[in-house]
Amino acid sequence: MKWLKRNINIFLIVALVVLLVGVCFNNLAFEKNTQEITVESGDTLWTLSQKHRGSISQYKWLQQVKSDNDIKGDLIVVGKTLLIPQSEKNKTNKLEIASDQ
């Protein structure tokens, strides 16, 4: 305990670094599991969930989209970009295969 009292500045710096690393890691994990889409004319949260939710339950998908995009009701605006959960069927694996053609 005496060491901590004498070296409180070092302790605070280490704690801050650990906190920042945790926040950065959390943000990177979030980015990997989401994708951006632009709302088009005729889109509703319901139709978007049917198109993009994959194996996630519709209720869970809708709640996550509303939470991630700060949507209070059911209204979405044409042209707005939404973060949505990235389902397995919407992941694009970019794999280039060498070809001699």
Side-chain angles (χ1 to χ4, degrees), residues 23-42:
V23 168
C24 290
F25 180 75
N26 189 31
N27 287 341
L28 288 176
F30 177 74
E31 289 175 12
K32 289 180 184 176
N33 295 324
T34 61
Q35 69 182 52
E36 288 185 353
I37 61 167
T38 302
V39 177
E40 297 176 359
S41 181

Side-chain angles (χ1 to χ4, degrees), residues 24-66:
C24 290
F25 180 75
N26 189 31
N27 287 341
L28 288 176
F30 177 74
E31 289 175 12
K32 289 180 184 176
N33 295 324
T34 61
Q35 69 182 52
E36 288 185 353
I37 61 167
T38 302
V39 177
E40 297 176 359
S41 181
D43 284 343
T44 65
L45 287 173
W46 182 265
T47 59
L48 290 174
S49 73
Q50 290 176 326
K51 205 184 303 184
H52 297 284
R53 71 181 173 89
S55 61
I56 302 171
S57 77
Q58 194 150 23
Y59 176 79
K60 184 175 179 180
W61 190 92
L62 289 168
Q63 293 305 318
Q64 185 171 348
V65 169
K66 285 181 176 185

